[in-house]
Amino acid sequence: MLNIEEISSPLEPLFQRLRLRDRLSEAEHLALAGAMGGTLVVTEGDEVVEEGDVPSHSLLLVDGLAARYRVLPNGSRQISAFQVAGDFVDLPSFTLKVIDHSITAISTCRFITFPHKELAKIVEDYPHLTRLLWMTTLLDSAVQREWLIGVGRRSSIQRAAHLFCELGLRLDVVHKGQPEHFGFPATQADLADALGISLVHSNRVIQSLRVMGLLEWRRGEIVVPDVSALHRFADFDPTYLHLDHHPR
Amino acid sequence: MLNIEEISSPLEPLFQRLRLRDRLSEAEHLALAGAMGGTLVVTEGDEVVEEGDVPSHSLLLVDGLAARYRVLPNGSRQISAFQVAGDFVDLPSFTLKVIDHSITAISTCRFITFPHKELAKIVEDYPHLTRLLWMTTLLDSAVQREWLIGVGRRSSIQRAAHLFCELGLRLDVVHKGQPEHFGFPATQADLADALGISLVHSNRVIQSLRVMGLLEWRRGEIVVPDVSALHRFADFDPTYLHLDHHPR
DNA sequence: CGGTGAGTTGATGTTCGTCAAACCGTGTGG
DNA sequence: CCACACGGTTTGACGAACATCAACTCACCG
């Protein structure tokens, strides 16, 4: 007899992410565990997938920080998402086939591969689990939409504050950090590309947050002295993270 | 015996959108037709769904132009997507449950409702069709990601040009326009909110495109005199629209 | 001890927002 | 038929947010 606790440990972040939103049956736990392929480790700074790839498997991030991005012809880079443990960084390729953006490892990342063939079996046999996997892609999409709203209509300082509110909560869900203290192994250049501002400006934004007492950031660690103050400053409303439990 | 042509006419835009990307069997055509609920007409300027709604059905837009948006506490509005015929404006609510953004009718819109109960049946019985519906939500997400990249890293003029390249192609897919000529019943204020700029600036951007000979826009009609010139100016690469045919 | 990547600072210019006013076609009521 | 209101568009003047260029510091590492 398989023991969920034993086989599932690398999948725990995904399970936590799913179980926060809905019940996950034992059979569904096992189905996911059974669909696992191998492990993939990508060292800091390397590419995980590149624009134009047509992967035969999807990647679940189980440890580390990754970034989805595109580089424009003029050389500038825009990061469209940070991915943390429990995020299926590559699930869109299951139905979209061709990857339309690249993914890089901000810190060294550990992934679990899920062959598309195995995912297709889940779609055949586990309709509820299928909806949950579908949901995870829509969660990513909701976060991305919030970023779009921020880049379009929030000041760069608010946007930075908003990002740190978001990351704190998302890491909390998968027990990889807390809203008041979590790892963020990115550089100020990475942050600039995520916020859609220049490197110099990103430095000044961080300094502003520091002097306002809203943020500390040293050696890859973020400390938020007063979480609710940061939330207020950022006009942060976590609705878009869909942290609530529903039958889906 | 049901005749596809007869029952499917309001679904044609969706079928075209799907068939461009993959084969759609007769059974799948019928399954979609069978999942249809009623028709919903929303007049210009009215809300289709509002933030916080928990709908029991999803909405397929079959005619008109709609916009997904959020209003921030400071009163500014950001449009995160334009929806055209064939777009499932509301499919995320099938698994996300709570709507985290509002949708407004830019022009009068006609929708077909799909009860979530019926969609759940499709997930039970039609795995391939399920993947295609899943895909449509990821297509929306890919478009949204491209907008994020544009707002973050493109100039507002390029962004506007890029938008008109995109809309021309998307409308072409569902036979509601061509890249060189299509309806765009929005105001300059709507455009401003989509591009993340002010109304005044949106006016100046349009004028620039006009004097460059890249665009004409009168009475809700866009004319692109030289499509490839506009594409070149916008650095437009349609990869992200996933217009290619694949087994999925 | 030199090199390198990350962070920081200052000076200057551009893009874009805001405020304010005018314009223009369309529709409406006297 | 005309006066007027109204939404959408257009224009000008000014200021704020942000980019760019350039230089410097600091920690770390071979």
Side-chain angles (χ1 to χ4, degrees):
Chain A
M1 190 59 194
L2 286 170
N3 177 326
I4 290 185
E5 282 314 310
E6 235 165 282
I7 60 166
S8 69
S9 87
L11 293 186
E12 261 315 305
L14 174 63
F15 291 160
Q16 284 155 351
R17 201 172 171 225
L18 295 179
R19 281 193 305 244
L20 177 68
R21 273 83 180 198
D22 194 5
R23 270 206 81 234
L24 200 63
S25 72
E26 188 170 344
E28 289 168 337
H29 281 91
L30 292 171
L32 280 172
M36 284 172 60
T39 296
L40 174 70
V41 175
V42 179
T43 47
E44 182 183 333
D46 285 356
E47 306 309 301
V48 182
V49 297
E50 296 197 61
E51 208 180 321
D53 285 0
V54 185
S56 60
H57 49 259
S58 288
L59 298 172
L60 172 70
L61 180 56
V62 294
D63 203 50
L65 181 68
R68 221 175 261 242
Y69 70 94
R70 269 200 50 204
V71 175
L72 297 186
N74 66 30
S76 61
R77 180 178 76 147
Q78 176 69 43
I79 291 178
S80 59
F82 284 123
Q83 308 280 4
V84 302
D87 287 350
F88 244 120
V89 301
D90 210 6
L91 195 47
S93 75
F94 173 48
T95 63
L96 282 185
K97 301 306 169 192
V98 182
I99 294 270
D100 60 11
H101 57 268
S102 304
I103 294 179
T104 186
I106 299 283
S107 66
T108 295
C109 288
R110 212 169 81 249
F111 297 94
I112 294 191
T113 65
F114 284 80
H116 287 172
K117 205 175 298 178
E118 297 297 323
L119 293 175
K121 277 193 215 160
I122 289 182
V123 175
E124 304 272 344
D125 299 333
Y126 298 89
H128 175 253
L129 182 55
T130 300
R131 290 198 294 274
L132 287 186
L133 291 178
W134 188 347
M135 177 196 71
T136 67
T137 64
L138 297 177
L139 287 175
D140 286 349
S141 178
V143 169
Q144 201 180 262
R145 179 164 44 245
E146 195 66 24
W147 282 36
L148 172 54
I149 287 160
V151 179
R153 291 301 186 209
R154 274 191 259 263
S155 70
S156 53
I157 302 191
Q158 266 201 322
R159 221 180 308 154
H162 200 277
L163 172 64
F164 294 120
C165 295
E166 175 190 309
L167 283 177
L169 277 185
R170 286 173 57 196
L171 288 167
D172 197 19
V173 168
V174 292
H175 303 312
K176 296 280 184 180
Q178 304 119 270
E180 52 277 356
H181 179 221
F182 55 91
F184 184 60
T187 66
Q188 293 188 359
D190 295 328
L191 181 66
D193 288 343
L195 299 178
I197 60 181
S198 69
L199 166 58
V200 171
H201 202 61
S202 119
N203 177 272
R204 292 187 166 129
V205 161
I206 291 299
Q207 288 184 53
S208 303
L209 288 175
R210 276 205 271 254
V211 302
M212 286 189 268
L214 292 173
L215 189 79
E216 293 162 36
W217 181 14
R218 277 186 308 270
R219 272 170 274 104
E221 297 283 315
I222 299 274
V223 175
V224 180
D226 182 344
V227 172
S228 70
L230 189 67
H231 281 211
R232 259 178 283 117
F233 178 79
D235 263 335
F236 183 74
D237 173 356
T239 304
Y240 74 99
L241 292 175
H242 297 271
L243 299 172
D244 45 343
H245 203 270
H246 281 277
R248 312 201 186 233
Chain B
M1 189 61 194
L2 285 171
N3 177 327
I4 290 182
E5 283 313 312
E6 236 165 283
I7 60 166
S8 67
S9 87
L11 293 186
E12 261 315 305
L14 174 63
F15 290 161
Q16 283 156 351
R17 201 172 172 226
L18 295 179
R19 281 194 305 244
L20 177 68
R21 273 82 179 199
D22 194 4
R23 271 206 82 236
L24 200 64
S25 73
E26 189 169 343
E28 289 168 337
H29 280 92
L30 292 171
L32 280 172
M36 284 171 59
T39 295
L40 173 70
V41 174
V42 179
T43 48
E44 183 183 333
D46 285 356
E47 305 308 302
V48 181
V49 296
E50 296 197 61
E51 208 180 320
D53 285 0
V54 185
S56 60
H57 50 258
S58 288
L59 299 171
L60 172 70
L61 180 56
V62 294
D63 203 51
L65 182 68
R68 222 176 262 242
Y69 70 93
R70 269 200 49 205
V71 175
L72 297 186
N74 65 30
S76 62
R77 178 178 76 148
Q78 176 69 41
I79 291 178
S80 60
F82 285 123
Q83 308 280 0
V84 302
D87 287 351
F88 244 120
V89 302
D90 209 5
L91 195 47
S93 74
F94 173 47
T95 62
L96 281 185
K97 300 306 168 194
V98 182
I99 294 270
D100 59 10
H101 56 269
S102 304
I103 294 181
T104 186
I106 299 284
S107 64
T108 296
C109 288
R110 212 169 80 250
F111 296 94
I112 294 192
T113 66
F114 284 79
H116 288 171
K117 205 174 299 180
E118 297 296 324
L119 293 175
K121 276 194 216 160
I122 289 182
V123 175
E124 304 272 344
D125 299 334
Y126 297 90
H128 175 254
L129 182 54
T130 299
R131 289 198 295 273
L132 288 186
L133 291 178
W134 187 348
M135 178 195 71
T136 67
T137 64
L138 296 177
L139 287 176
D140 287 349
S141 178
V143 169
Q144 202 181 262
R145 179 164 45 244
E146 194 66 25
W147 282 36
L148 171 55
I149 287 160
V151 180
R153 289 303 186 208
R154 275 190 258 263
S155 70
S156 53
I157 302 191
Q158 267 201 322
R159 220 179 310 155
H162 200 277
L163 173 63
F164 294 121
C165 294
E166 175 190 308
L167 284 176
L169 277 186
R170 286 173 58 196
L171 289 167
D172 198 20
V173 168
V174 292
H175 302 312
K176 296 280 184 180
Q178 303 119 269
E180 52 276 358
H181 179 221
F182 55 91
F184 185 60
T187 66
Q188 293 188 359
D190 295 327
L191 181 66
D193 289 343
L195 299 178
I197 59 181
S198 69
L199 165 58
V200 171
H201 202 61
S202 120
N203 177 271
R204 293 189 166 126
V205 161
I206 291 299
Q207 289 183 52
S208 304
L209 289 175
R210 276 206 270 254
V211 302
M212 286 190 269
L214 291 173
L215 189 79
E216 294 162 35
W217 181 14
R218 277 186 308 272
R219 271 171 274 104
E221 297 283 315
I222 299 273
V223 175
V224 180
D226 182 344
V227 172
S228 71
L230 189 67
H231 281 211
R232 258 178 284 118
F233 178 79
D235 263 333
F236 183 74
D237 173 356
T239 304
Y240 74 99
L241 292 175
H242 297 271
L243 299 172
D244 45 343
H245 202 270
H246 280 278
R248 310 201 188 236

